[in-house]
């Protein structure tokens, strides 16, 4: 059994699974794995269609995206989304370690929040939890919807009953309309600590770092 500790997903050797192949999706069979954490790779045997097969390594997040219905995940969407999230994970870790030098932890990917909820990134900091939801769009002109903030707000309220204090951040490569910024401000005024930031892989993460710094300064009680 292959277990991805960061997503709590189990990959059973011999399981049939959909995998990305170029800009298409094909069927393969899980045959093993190697590495751990962000370096974990699931080995999948793929039929090349000419009677031969090849064993290919895939990051778990690419497999997760490939399992989504085609209507929600157009061909090739996994490529950009997976790269974006991997890059964002590294940037988040770098910024957090710079602002919280005493923190020796790491950024957890696809963290479970209860039985039915999952957040893209979670960092257990010395005095708080940081929840980060990433929204990647192929069309960067597509505006981020306020419903994403409402979803994260529900996560925060659910955590308050039985977890350490938590703050949240929504990061997107798309446009951040004024309505979304105002919704986040209203949540903070209501003592729901949430921020939103735009970031693209080729950008210097100035806006992202400013939002994270505010989230880390927000007063919380244990």
């Amino acid at each position: 059994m292959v277990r991805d500790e960061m997503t709590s997903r189990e990959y059973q050797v011999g399981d049939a699974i959909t995998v990305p192949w170029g800009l298409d999706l094909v069927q393969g069979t899980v045959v093993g794995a190697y590495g751990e954490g962000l370096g974990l790779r699931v080995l999948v045997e793929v039929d090349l269609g000419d009677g031969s097969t090849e064993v290919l390594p895939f990051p778990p997040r690419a497999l997760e995206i490939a399992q989504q219905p085609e209507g929600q995940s157009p061909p090739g969407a996994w490529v950009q989304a997976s790269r974006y999230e991997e890059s964002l994970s590294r940037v988040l870790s770098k910024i957090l370690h710079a602002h919280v030098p005493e923190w020796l932890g790491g950024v957890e990917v696809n963290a479970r929040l209860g039985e039915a909820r999952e957040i893209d990134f979670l960092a257990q900091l010395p005095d708080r939890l940081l929840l980060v939801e990433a929204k990647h769009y192929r069309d960067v002109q597509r505006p981020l919807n306020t419903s994403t903030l409402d979803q994260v707000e529900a996560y925060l309220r659910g955590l308050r009953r039985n977890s350490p204090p938590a703050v949240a951040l929504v990061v997107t490569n798309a446009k951040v309309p004024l309505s979304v910024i105002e919704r986040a401000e209203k949540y903070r005024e209501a003592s729901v600590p949430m921020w939103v930031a735009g970031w693209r892989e080729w950008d210097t993460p100035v806006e992202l770092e400013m939002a994270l710094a505010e989230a880390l300064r927000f007063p919380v009680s244990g």
Side-chain angles (χ1 to χ4, degrees):
M1 179 180 295
V2 180
R3 184 176 180 84
D4 176 8
E5 296 295 341
M6 291 192 297
T7 66
S8 298
R9 179 177 180 125
E10 295 177 348
Y11 297 94
Q12 185 75 38
V13 172
D15 281 352
I17 187 171
T18 301
V19 301
W21 180 267
L23 296 181
D24 297 318
L25 300 174
V26 298
Q27 290 296 312
T29 303
V30 175
V31 296
Y34 66 85
E36 59 183 13
L38 289 176
L40 176 64
R41 294 295 181 267
V42 180
L43 297 173
V44 181
E45 185 177 44
V46 177
D47 185 349
L48 300 182
D50 58 359
S52 62
T53 62
E54 184 173 351
V55 176
L56 302 171
F58 293 94
R61 185 53 178 160
L63 298 180
E64 292 289 334
I65 295 172
Q67 309 316 305
Q68 299 174 11
E70 289 190 16
Q72 299 178 15
S73 181
W78 72 272
V79 179
Q80 294 87 359
S82 180
R83 287 175 179 171
Y84 182 79
E85 293 184 2
E86 288 185 4
S87 296
L88 179 57
S89 176
R90 291 191 292 268
V91 171
L92 288 171
S93 181
K94 182 177 180 180
I95 294 174
L96 287 173
H97 281 292
H99 284 262
V100 191
E102 70 274 20
W103 177 57
L104 302 178
V107 175
E108 184 178 355
V109 181
N110 299 330
R112 295 287 183 182
L113 299 177
E115 295 182 359
R117 292 178 174 175
E118 185 178 275
I119 194 78
D120 289 327
F121 304 101
L122 174 69
Q124 300 189 35
L125 303 173
D127 65 340
R128 68 195 66 199
L129 295 177
L130 171 68
L131 281 59
V132 180
E133 182 73 7
K135 289 296 180 183
H136 179 273
Y137 299 99
R138 299 184 77 183
D139 179 7
V140 297
Q141 296 303 313
R142 176 179 175 178
L144 180 69
N145 196 294
T146 56
S147 63
T148 299
L149 275 65
D150 298 337
Q151 174 187 352
V152 174
E153 184 268 348
Y155 290 173
L156 282 172
R157 290 194 182 277
L159 281 172
R160 285 180 175 179
R161 292 189 293 270
N162 52 18
S163 299
V167 296
L169 178 65
V170 176
V171 184
T172 182
N173 70 324
K175 293 175 61 177
V176 181
L178 181 60
S179 59
V180 172
I181 296 174
E182 292 176 341
R183 178 68 66 90
E185 290 176 349
K186 289 181 179 178
Y187 273 136
R188 293 196 297 273
E189 291 171 359
S191 298
V192 180
M194 185 190 313
W195 288 259
V196 61
W199 178 74
R200 298 177 188 174
E201 294 173 89
W202 54 85
D203 289 342
T204 301
V206 176
E207 182 180 343
L208 176 57
E209 184 165 10
M210 288 178 61
L212 267 177
E214 288 186 20
L216 295 175
R217 291 195 301 266
F218 189 86
V220 296
S221 57

